[in-house]
Amino acid sequence: MSLEVQCFNCNGKFTLEHSDPQYAKIKTKQTKYYVCKSCNSSIKGEAIKQTGFDPKLLDPKGYDKLVP
């Protein structure tokens, strides 16, 4: 089963497959907004550039401390 969605940022139309991480959130109405992969990476890149903070530096175990 798939869902037809529209990107919140670029307004492009996409088909979400069951395996997509955003599928469950939209299907269960946890959110009504979808952001396509292209816009997601663009927004993430801009945020890293503006803040100078790379989320890859977060501790993978979830302790929210910077890893050298």
Side-chain angles (χ1 to χ4, degrees), residues 1-7 12-28 31-37:
M1 180 167 265
S2 61
L3 289 174
E4 295 296 321
V5 292
Q6 186 171 359
C7 178
K13 297 196 185 281
F14 299 90
T15 302
L16 275 185
E17 296 301 324
H18 188 269
S19 60
D20 192 297
Q22 294 187 62
Y23 178 91
K25 289 182 180 181
I26 293 173
K27 187 75 172 171
T28 59
T31 184
K32 60 181 177 179
Y33 301 111
Y34 172 76
V35 178
C36 69
K37 291 176 179 150

Side-chain angles (χ1 to χ4, degrees), residues 19-54:
S19 60
D20 192 297
Q22 294 187 62
Y23 178 91
K25 289 182 180 181
I26 293 173
K27 187 75 172 171
T28 59
K29 299 188 189 314
Q30 292 177 10
T31 184
K32 60 181 177 179
Y33 301 111
Y34 172 76
V35 178
C36 69
K37 291 176 179 150
S38 174
C39 289
N40 186 22
S41 63
S42 172
I43 293 168
K44 189 183 291 184
E46 186 64 27
I48 291 169
K49 189 170 114 182
Q50 291 290 321
T51 64
F53 179 75
D54 188 351

